[in-house]
Amino acid sequence: MRVGASSPSCVWYRSFPSICSTMPLGLTRIPLLHYLIATYLCMLPGAIAYTYLGYAGREAVAGGEGLIQKVMLALALLAVVAFLPRLIGRLRQGPTMNIDALRERLNKEDELLLLDVRTANDYQDKLGHIVGSLNIPLEELESRLAELTPYLEKPVALICTTDRRSKKAAQILGSQGFADVHVVIGGMTQWNKNALPVHTTTETSDHLREIQ
């Protein structure tokens, strides 16, 4: 197979100026070595697939032998490229925890930190929040990481309304060296569906009215 403008090495060479400019401009906080390795590994399958498709196309036009095998291999490479982002997303998300597992951990009263990354208003809304949870909104998480330093090596469970914000928070904490981060699947929505206890502002207001 001829090495040309679409070869993997050429694609990598063309991307290198972009990589070099991204780091000094502060467009990413990922360490340089990790950034280079991840960029190359993520680009390589696509570059190989792109190159091989060109090769298979030329063979098809020329009527080369083994055309069916080449086409099947090309389709397999395309499938790998198509599903690779999902796989990477799952790996970046890290471990998960369902509601039953969370409840069991909370009942054990171990060192687990339950971090609720919803906004302050959502934390107090009708879904309520779990007693003992710490509320740091996702938007404030990076600026308040110092508050979580004691939990760098301890288990942290992330919860939100569903689990979307928790997944983003898990990526942030993972990039900052937190070793044991879990996303609570289903979030407070699932917690409420299971009819588990929550604390809400409404309950507090009703209690105050009873006292008065």
Side-chain angles (χ1 to χ4, degrees):
M1 181 168 54
R2 185 179 62 182
V3 177
S6 60
S7 66
S9 59
C10 185
V11 173
W12 167 253
Y13 176 78
R14 288 179 176 178
S15 68
F16 192 74
S18 174
I19 295 171
C20 291
S21 63
T22 299
M23 301 302 298
L25 290 175
L27 300 180
T28 177
R29 298 184 180 182
I30 303 173
L32 177 60
L33 179 60
H34 295 175
Y35 183 74
L36 292 174
I37 294 174
T39 300
Y40 187 74
L41 289 178
C42 291
M43 289 177 59
L44 189 59
I48 293 174
Y50 178 71
T51 304
Y52 189 82
L53 281 173
Y55 167 71
R58 288 195 298 271
E59 288 291 307
V61 173
E65 297 181 359
L67 179 59
I68 295 178
Q69 291 87 340
K70 291 182 175 66
V71 171
M72 293 299 293
L73 181 56
L75 291 175
L77 286 171
L78 283 177
V80 170
V81 173
F83 286 100
L84 188 61
R86 293 186 180 182
L87 176 61
I88 293 173
R90 286 184 175 273
L91 292 175
R92 290 182 65 190
Q93 173 185 313
T96 59
M97 179 185 298
N98 61 32
I99 294 298
D100 292 334
L102 174 61
R103 186 183 184 187
E104 183 179 347
R105 293 288 295 272
L106 292 175
N107 288 338
K108 288 182 179 179
E109 297 183 355
D110 59 11
E111 294 182 328
L112 175 72
L113 169 66
L114 179 57
L115 182 61
D116 194 316
V117 294
R118 294 176 295 167
T119 64
N121 288 336
D122 289 341
Y123 187 70
Q124 301 290 353
D125 74 357
K126 60 183 180 181
L127 287 178
H129 58 268
I130 301 171
V131 175
S133 62
L134 172 65
N135 179 223
I136 299 182
L138 176 63
E139 295 78 8
E140 302 175 12
L141 184 57
E142 290 188 88
S143 63
R144 297 176 60 181
L145 285 173
E147 300 176 33
L148 303 176
T149 302
Y151 289 91
L152 274 170
E153 301 296 332
K154 296 179 181 179
V156 178
L158 297 167
I159 195 166
C160 60
T161 302
T162 54
D163 50 42
R164 292 183 180 180
R165 294 169 67 90
S166 297
K167 291 175 181 177
K168 294 178 181 179
Q171 293 176 9
I172 294 173
L173 294 182
S175 68
Q176 296 299 319
F178 286 80
D180 192 8
V181 179
H182 299 260
V183 172
V184 179
I185 299 300
M188 289 303 300
T189 300
Q190 188 61 49
W191 182 274
N192 278 266
K193 284 182 179 179
N194 290 12
L196 296 172
V198 297
H199 179 77
T200 64
T201 303
T202 303
E203 291 176 353
T204 304
S205 300
D206 291 342
H207 179 64
L208 289 175
R209 281 196 292 270
E210 289 176 4
I211 295 176
Q212 293 173 353

